[in-house]
Amino acid sequence: MQPHQDSQATPFFLTEEVKAEMIAAGYVFEPPPIACTLRLRDVLEGMSDAELALQPGEIADQERERRQGKQFSVG
């Protein structure tokens, strides 16, 4: 098995047999990343102000600005 299969045209799927061989050879499998099903803006919108304050990035900055504008327009 090649360590890097970037040149493959079709996806590579592990069978249980291949996975068992790889584990026996010392390969450590890590859980896959969580699939993203929501937009980051939607996730940030659902956070409390305290949670949002800990988030870096331009989209988080935009959400903070949106909330500040909302506070001024309500009062």
Side-chain angles (χ1 to χ4, degrees), residues 12-61:
F12 176 74
F13 296 98
L14 291 177
T15 63
E16 289 300 318
E17 293 170 348
V18 171
K19 184 177 175 182
E21 289 176 18
M22 291 175 76
I23 290 171
Y27 188 87
V28 177
F29 286 89
E30 295 182 17
I34 297 171
C36 180
T37 58
L38 295 173
R39 294 180 325 148
L40 180 55
R41 290 183 196 283
D42 296 335
V43 173
L44 295 174
E45 189 176 285
M47 289 183 171
S48 69
D49 290 340
E51 291 171 322
L52 181 62
L54 300 173
Q55 301 304 311
E58 183 179 344
I59 297 174
D61 291 342

Side-chain angles (χ1 to χ4, degrees), residues 63-75:
E63 176 61 19
R64 283 187 280 272
E65 289 173 14
R66 185 189 72 78
R67 289 183 187 192
Q68 286 178 343
K70 205 174 185 182
Q71 288 174 348
F72 293 125
S73 65
V74 172

